[in-house]
């Protein structure tokens, strides 16, 4: 790990260390910085040219902070989150792999969010328009292969766009030497910070089919013109559009999710009763968070040896206003 950190610092212009400086008047501000986080865990801080930032812990390959140009936190992390392995961090963007939820024989959401990722010093060519990014890699340990007997390389690039957008790109390759394919599920388990869950609506999932985890995973069709929240929700929406919007009425802010290669979307809020049963989650924190997750759950991904899958998520936060209960179309155009 220390060797990885040293190499990245020395990499200079490749976008991975203390040699990477911001252009313009703030030229002394470092675009990518390696430092210690909570409980001494290694983390990477990404900084955009206008003041946006993101923080990524190597434990879990886990984004724990995303701030806009005004320094406002856009992700939710519980005040009771436990930054201590092997417990997953509660909030931010956990990586669910190779299993989602309890849909399989592995631990909840698989093991990727409970492992220490390495900094990928020499990733395959991957174009970017950002100087603020980090490449991470996860490979199986002996312990992992006992539970999930496959060889793979999971590469994750986390980048801040020039406008402050947060971009995550996952690439999973089957490196099995025995010629066997493997199958996995996946999700970016994104926790968004919202003003008040009762003031939030989600658009883009209308009329779609979903599995309701609160009703024995039965399949239903969404009836409303938008999702609003007044009780616990845990749904997996199927074959969703590439763009989903989360409108926060009180903050006059809209989160826009754009996804590629990831067909489903999970919507989750534990509400009050379940919140009180979670030791790493505050009793009232459900009011200020909402998970809308890009996921591949219904039809798991199968890779033959040598094949690679790519799944990309881009998050942006734009000003919004209501017009007859809908997102102002001018604001939508501005965020496109």
């Amino acid at each position: 790990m220390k060797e990885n950190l040293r190499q990245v610092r020395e990499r200079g212009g490749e976008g991975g260390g203390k040699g990477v400086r911001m252009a313009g008047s703030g030229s002394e501000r470092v675009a990518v910085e390696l430092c210690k986080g909570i409980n001494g865990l290694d983390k990477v801080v990404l900084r955009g040219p206008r003041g946006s930032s993101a923080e990524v812990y190597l434990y879990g390959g886990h984004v724990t902070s995303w701030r806009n140009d005004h320094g406002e936190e856009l992700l939710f992390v519980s005040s009771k989150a436990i930054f201590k392995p092997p417990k997953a961090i509660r909030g931010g963007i956990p990586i669910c792999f190779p299993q989602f939820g309890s849909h399989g024989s592995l631990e909840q959401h698989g093991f990727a969010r409970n492992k220490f990722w390495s900094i990928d010093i020499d990733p395959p060519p991957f174009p970017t328009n950002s100087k603020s990014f980090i490449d991470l890699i996860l490979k199986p340990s002996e312990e992992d292969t006992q539970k999930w007997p496959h060889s793979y390389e999971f590469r994750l690039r986390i980048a801040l766009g020039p406008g402050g957008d947060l971009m995550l790109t996952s690439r999973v390759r089957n490196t099995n030497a025995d010629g066997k394919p493997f199958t996995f599920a996946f999700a970016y388990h994104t926790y968004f910070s919202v003003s008040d869950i009762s003031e939030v609506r989600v658009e883009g999932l209308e009329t779609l089919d979903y599995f309701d985890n609160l009703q024995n995973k039965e399949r239903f069709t969404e009836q409303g013109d938008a999702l609003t929240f007044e009780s616990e929700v845990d749904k997996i929406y199927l074959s969703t559009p590439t763009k989903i919007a989360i409108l926060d009425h009180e903050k006059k802010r809209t989160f826009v999710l754009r996804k590629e290669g990831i067909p489903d979307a999970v919507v989750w809020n534990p509400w009050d009763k379940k919140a009180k049963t979670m030791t790493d989650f505050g009793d009232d924190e459900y009011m200020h968070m909402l998970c809308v997750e890009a996921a591949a759950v219904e039809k798991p991904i199968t890779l033959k040896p040598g094949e690679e899958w790519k799944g990309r998520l881009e998050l942006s936060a734009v000003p919004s206003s209501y017009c007859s209960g809908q997102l102002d179309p001018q604001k939508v155009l501005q965020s496109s």
Side-chain angles (χ1 to χ4, degrees):
M1 181 68 69
K2 289 182 179 177
E3 180 66 14
N4 271 348
L5 298 183
R6 183 183 66 77
Q7 286 180 283
V8 169
R9 288 191 182 103
E10 291 176 350
R11 192 157 53 125
E14 289 300 312
K18 291 191 175 180
V20 181
R21 303 287 176 179
M22 302 306 303
S25 57
S27 59
E28 291 309 306
R29 212 150 37 87
V30 181
V32 182
E33 181 183 6
L34 298 149
C35 54
K36 295 293 183 181
I38 297 170
N39 292 332
L41 294 172
D42 288 314
K43 73 175 180 179
V44 177
V45 180
L46 306 176
R47 294 187 179 90
R50 301 177 190 170
S52 60
S53 68
E55 295 185 3
V56 186
Y57 276 74
L58 299 192
Y59 176 61
H62 197 131
V63 178
T64 56
S65 175
W66 171 40
R67 294 180 182 271
N68 62 16
D69 295 349
H70 306 293
E72 297 171 301
E73 181 59 65
L74 303 172
L75 298 179
F76 166 88
V77 174
S78 174
S79 62
K80 294 189 174 184
I82 300 167
F83 285 75
K84 189 175 182 180
K87 182 71 174 175
I89 300 167
R90 174 68 69 185
I93 311 180
I95 301 293
C96 302
F97 171 88
Q99 177 178 303
F100 180 80
S102 58
H103 300 252
S105 60
L106 300 174
E107 61 213 77
Q108 178 83 356
H109 291 321
F111 48 71
R113 63 181 188 152
N114 307 94
K115 299 295 179 183
F116 284 95
W117 294 55
S118 301
I119 293 172
D120 196 355
I121 302 302
D122 189 24
F126 195 88
T128 183
N129 63 350
S130 170
K131 291 187 176 180
S132 183
F133 67 91
I134 189 73
D135 287 295
L136 304 181
I137 188 168
L138 181 69
K139 294 183 180 181
S141 66
E142 288 186 19
E143 178 189 0
D144 296 338
T145 54
Q146 290 175 5
K147 295 184 289 186
W148 199 64
H150 302 291
S151 180
Y152 65 88
E153 291 177 346
F154 188 144
R155 286 185 159 86
L156 173 64
R157 171 168 288 187
I158 301 157
L160 267 181
D165 295 352
L166 181 65
M167 295 165 284
L168 295 90
T169 305
S170 291
R171 292 182 289 175
V172 177
R173 180 176 292 277
N174 182 337
T175 56
N176 275 337
D178 58 8
K180 292 182 179 179
F182 63 66
T183 299
F184 65 93
F186 173 84
Y188 292 115
H189 195 320
T190 310
Y191 289 71
F192 291 95
S193 175
V194 300
S195 57
D196 184 332
I197 188 64
S198 64
E199 297 287 340
V200 170
R201 57 191 279 143
V202 176
E203 297 186 355
L205 303 176
E206 307 83 38
T207 73
L208 297 181
D209 284 2
Y210 64 87
F211 293 124
D212 193 332
N213 287 326
L214 302 180
Q215 299 193 51
N216 298 314
K217 301 182 174 66
E218 285 189 42
R219 187 169 182 143
F220 299 93
T221 300
E222 187 59 56
Q223 301 298 322
D225 61 349
L227 275 65
T228 56
F229 303 93
E230 52 189 25
S231 61
E232 182 182 356
V233 61
D234 188 355
K235 298 177 179 180
I236 302 170
Y237 288 85
L238 311 174
S239 302
T240 59
T242 57
K243 189 163 102 170
I244 301 168
I246 304 169
L247 288 71
D248 189 333
H249 180 55
E250 190 172 312
K251 285 190 176 178
K252 294 183 170 58
R253 172 188 294 152
T254 295
F255 293 108
V256 181
L257 294 76
R258 295 178 179 85
K259 57 191 182 67
E260 298 172 15
I262 314 173
D264 305 322
V266 179
V267 179
W268 179 72
N269 183 292
W271 221 253
D272 55 344
K273 288 183 181 179
K274 185 166 185 177
K276 290 175 182 176
T277 70
M278 298 159 63
T279 57
D280 59 349
F281 192 90
D283 288 356
D284 298 324
E285 287 185 329
Y286 73 92
M287 298 173 64
H288 306 296
M289 56 73 64
L290 176 65
C291 286
V292 179
E293 315 163 27
V297 180
E298 182 195 18
K299 298 174 182 175
I301 297 143
T302 298
L303 293 178
K304 297 176 183 176
E307 286 187 334
E308 182 179 82
W309 166 83
K310 182 171 78 170
R312 185 174 184 273
L313 175 65
E314 180 177 336
L315 304 176
S316 56
V318 297
S320 63
S321 60
Y322 277 79
C323 179
S324 301
Q326 298 295 316
L327 184 64
D328 184 335
Q330 287 302 115
K331 301 296 184 183
V332 173
L333 290 173
Q334 289 172 18
S335 69
S336 297

